[in-house]
Amino acid sequence: MAFDSFSAFMVMEGHGPYVWSCYAAFFLLMIGLMVWSLRRRKAAIEACRRGYEFQAGRNDQQAASASAASFNRVKVSQD
Amino acid sequence: MNADCRPALTLRQDTVGALAAMQAVFARDMKVAFRQRQDLLNPLLFFVMVVTLFPLGVSPEVSFLREAGAGILWVAALLSVLLSLDHLFRHDFDDGTLEQLVLQPQPLFLLVLAKTAAHWVLTGLPLVVLTPVLGVMVHLDGNSIGVLCLTLLIGTPVLSLIGSIGAALTLGLRSAGVLLSLLIIPLYIPVLIFGTGTVASAAEGAPVGAYLALMGAFLVLALTLAPFASAAALRISLSNG
Amino acid sequence: MWQFFHKLGSPKWFFGISARLMPWLLAGGILLLMAGIVWGLAFAPKDYLQGNSYRIIFIHVPTAFLAQSVYVMMAVAAVVTLVWRMKLADVFVKSVAPVGLVLTFLSLFTGAVWGKPTWGTWWVWDARLTSMLILLFLYGGVIALDRAINDEKSAARAVSVLVLVGVVNIPIIQYSVEWWNTLHQPSTFKLTEKPSMPAEMWVPLLLSVLGLYLLFGWLACLRMQTEILLREQRTRWVKDYVLAGRG
């Protein structure tokens, strides 16, 4: 241990503010970067899923309208 | 823009060699420039005005101007080259000449080199010619002015060459102007440092041969690499559609 | 060898292998970084010249080191993009550039704060600080150009050209210490010589450099995965992956 006490460790013979502000900036930015990247990934997965669901919904609708159309045509031909 | 302002580029494909093609591109760019003299004058006016701002904005004292003069002139020259870069490919891009250039059988990097050479003759060289006048106005001594002109003579082609890469990369983009300066200024810094450093050491009476040799090395490096990079960038920008 | 090379180009293969690697990278990175920092902060001896302020070195050097080597990695990836048109290489450049920007900023910030007690000013226009600043601009330019071009393929190739042009700057950074003799101390790590620091100082430094490398690897994998998911969302395997993640 290079320091006698915890308070000496915090003060670092007057250099404390410099050292600790550097480490604070480092941890803040690195953790921020990690969290941001994780959330971006989550958001990307979410966007993909919504895309697939939208696609699936549209396919259903198309299928429904296609069957409706054929039904109509049958009706017209009967008329 | 007036159509007859811009002569078509005519290269007979199978018969014209690379050197002749370069000459044709160079001659055409000169002709276009002299038909639109305003574009020629703009960078020069900008250069003079920026230099004028420094004595007004900082201090008209002889000692300050003598010390900072070379730096002021170099920065002003750098900025006015930057200002003119937007025109390097823009008009040719807009009217389709550039597509023709890319389709020529001659190697594109040679044609780009010819265009860059024309750009330097039209902007860099006039700046060098104007420098002694402005140098006297910022109280540089004769020896310093000579060295300054020499550094600008070697340095401005480097500015044009590096700039052509940036101009080619940002071609057709919406915020091209701002982007261009963001991309190019970092690459200009070494040239600027050595350009002004040479004049500073000349003012102290030190020999400048080594500095000039180093700047010459920059020029050779830029001459050999930049045309390839801007040719590649041009192809990318044109395929961007 | 060639098979490996082709596999490396396949986003699906990368996705699988990176998913297996990432926990190790994260755990190893945090462990080494923490070990290096705690050792450096609390146990390493005081520097006889600079006192305790030198303890900033345990984050300053790793960030500066990594900021430069990330750019070199991007340059290698840029060559691969231009020559072989490998998808992953361009995904790498795009995903990693913001990380490089943050690391460069951190090294500049810690350098400036370190300069205050050591040199008496926040900022000194010395060669290495200046070239780190230029590196920051280069990263900014890469990100801005990538954002400005809409077409994915052109963006990838244009950015590659820019990165390659900018890599000319890296040797200038490396040798600037010899070019201009200024206030800054000479490079801490030299590959050919033994470091001039005592072991109690350079071992924790080495640990934190390695730790940050691993952490960078984790970040790169994570961000590349994100990019791949977005680009390949029309493929079968991404659909399977996304829909499987729900259940």
Side-chain angles (χ1 to χ4, degrees):
Chain A
M1 200 64 185
F3 298 95
D4 300 329
S5 65
F6 184 73
S7 57
F9 181 55
M10 292 310 289
V11 175
M12 289 209 169
E13 296 170 1
H15 290 321
Y18 303 113
V19 174
W20 294 116
S21 63
C22 277
Y23 279 87
F26 176 75
F27 282 112
L28 212 69
L29 279 181
M30 285 312 285
I31 291 173
L33 195 62
M34 288 161 76
V35 170
W36 175 51
S37 304
L38 276 170
R39 287 173 75 169
R40 249 178 49 120
R41 186 175 183 278
K42 209 179 250 175
I45 291 180
E46 197 53 43
C48 286
R49 178 180 301 148
R50 240 178 290 129
Y52 298 142
E53 272 163 12
F54 180 70
Q55 199 71 37
R58 223 170 47 176
N59 284 349
D60 287 350
Q61 242 173 32
Q62 265 172 3
S65 66
S67 64
S70 66
F71 178 72
N72 278 345
R73 206 179 299 134
V74 170
K75 209 174 166 188
V76 167
S77 74
Q78 269 185 339
D79 218 10
Chain B
M1 184 181 307
N2 205 341
D4 51 39
C5 244
R6 307 180 55 73
L9 184 71
T10 43
L11 299 181
R12 298 243 312 287
Q13 314 218 343
D14 17 319
T15 51
V16 177
L19 213 61
M22 284 173 74
Q23 273 173 7
V25 169
F26 184 85
R28 176 181 171 277
D29 272 19
M30 299 300 275
K31 203 187 277 178
V32 169
F34 278 103
R35 286 186 186 171
Q36 295 170 339
R37 292 195 193 87
Q38 186 58 39
D39 282 1
L40 268 181
L41 278 178
N42 277 344
L44 287 177
L45 283 175
F46 185 76
F47 182 56
V48 175
M49 283 179 187
V50 170
V51 173
T52 314
L53 287 180
F54 276 89
L56 294 173
V58 189
S59 152
E61 269 177 49
V62 176
S63 59
F64 161 75
L65 286 176
R66 182 164 290 161
E67 199 176 338
I72 292 170
L73 281 170
W74 249 100
V75 170
L78 190 149
L79 290 178
S80 46
V81 170
L82 198 66
L83 186 76
S84 67
L85 278 174
D86 195 41
H87 291 285
L88 181 52
F89 298 119
R90 168 81 55 206
H91 295 317
D92 285 353
F93 178 69
D94 289 341
D95 69 6
T97 312
L98 211 56
E99 305 234 4
Q100 298 300 317
L101 219 57
V102 171
L103 292 175
Q104 298 300 322
Q106 289 87 5
L108 181 60
F109 73 91
L110 287 178
L111 304 182
V112 170
L113 186 60
K115 277 192 84 65
T116 315
H119 176 260
W120 176 69
V121 170
L122 293 168
T123 55
L125 201 56
L127 292 181
V128 178
V129 173
L130 214 57
T131 298
V133 182
L134 291 169
V136 170
M137 284 170 70
V138 295
H139 303 289
L140 290 176
D141 59 67
N143 182 31
S144 295
I145 291 179
V147 175
L148 179 62
C149 283
L150 212 54
T151 58
L152 279 172
L153 198 63
I154 305 174
T156 44
V158 183
L159 299 184
S160 291
L161 283 162
I162 297 177
S164 73
I165 305 173
L169 279 173
T170 54
L171 203 57
L173 298 181
R174 265 175 292 116
S175 51
V178 184
L179 200 56
L180 184 65
S181 35
L182 185 59
L183 301 188
I184 289 305
I185 287 180
L187 305 173
Y188 277 174
I189 288 172
V191 191
L192 177 71
I193 287 174
F194 279 98
T196 51
T198 311
V199 183
S201 79
E204 287 167 10
V208 293
Y211 288 98
L212 288 178
L214 207 54
M215 291 200 70
F218 281 149
L219 178 57
V220 171
L221 195 71
L223 260 177
T224 43
L225 296 182
F228 288 102
S230 33
L234 272 186
R235 283 187 205 281
I236 294 165
S237 291
L238 284 174
S239 71
N240 200 4
Chain C
M1 175 64 208
W2 276 109
Q3 200 190 356
F4 175 73
F5 202 67
H6 283 298
K7 263 190 184 167
L8 204 63
S10 140
K12 188 183 175 186
W13 179 84
F14 171 81
F15 211 89
I17 200 85
S18 65
R20 253 184 294 159
L21 267 176
M22 275 169 61
W24 297 103
L25 288 173
L26 182 64
I30 289 179
L31 208 72
L32 283 179
L33 196 60
M34 279 306 162
I37 284 177
V38 169
W39 187 348
L41 272 179
F43 297 97
K46 194 167 88 176
D47 188 79
Y48 70 96
L49 266 182
Q50 304 186 0
N52 282 315
S53 67
Y54 96 95
R55 292 179 199 280
I56 293 173
I57 203 175
F58 299 108
I59 50 174
H60 174 69
V61 167
T63 47
F65 204 66
L66 212 63
Q68 294 179 31
S69 59
V70 166
Y71 201 89
V72 176
M73 287 186 232
M74 277 167 59
V76 173
V79 173
V80 175
T81 306
L82 286 178
V83 177
W84 290 291
R85 307 273 160 94
M86 194 190 276
K87 275 186 196 164
L88 267 184
D90 114 57
V91 169
F92 177 81
V93 173
K94 195 184 158 106
S95 330
V96 144
V99 182
L101 184 84
V102 170
L103 288 171
T104 314
F105 173 78
L106 272 173
S107 83
L108 274 173
F109 180 80
T110 53
V113 175
W114 190 3
K116 184 66 184 165
T118 316
W119 299 328
T121 67
W122 295 106
W123 183 260
V124 174
W125 286 99
D126 102 307
R128 279 203 294 170
L129 278 178
T130 312
S131 36
M132 279 318 265
L133 189 64
I134 301 175
L135 190 64
L136 190 75
F137 295 155
L138 285 175
Y139 275 121
V142 168
I143 294 170
L145 185 65
D146 185 61
R147 294 270 161 91
I149 304 178
N150 292 326
D151 181 55
E152 208 169 74
K153 266 184 196 152
S154 324
R157 292 172 58 210
V159 164
S160 302
V161 170
L162 180 67
V163 169
L164 283 184
V165 171
V167 88
V168 176
N169 191 52
I170 296 282
I172 298 179
I173 292 175
Q174 294 297 335
Y175 292 106
S176 55
V177 181
E178 279 104 285
W179 283 2
W180 296 288
N181 283 324
T182 49
L183 292 165
H184 213 299
Q185 48 202 319
S187 272
T188 315
F189 272 126
K190 282 193 181 142
L191 289 175
T192 48
E193 292 171 31
K194 257 182 101 175
S196 56
M197 300 175 141
E200 304 88 65
M201 288 186 190
W202 68 256
V203 172
L205 187 53
L206 193 66
L207 285 182
S208 49
V209 170
L210 286 178
L212 199 61
Y213 253 103
L214 294 183
L215 210 58
F216 165 76
W218 180 77
L219 270 172
C221 283
L222 180 68
R223 298 178 63 86
M224 283 172 78
Q225 282 195 349
T226 310
E227 191 63 31
I228 288 172
L229 278 177
L230 288 175
R231 285 193 190 187
E232 308 274 315
Q233 50 177 299
R234 288 177 198 286
T235 60
R236 182 89 221 163
W237 69 270
V238 169
K239 191 168 180 179
D240 289 346
Y241 175 81
V242 168
L243 294 181
R246 171 180 245 181

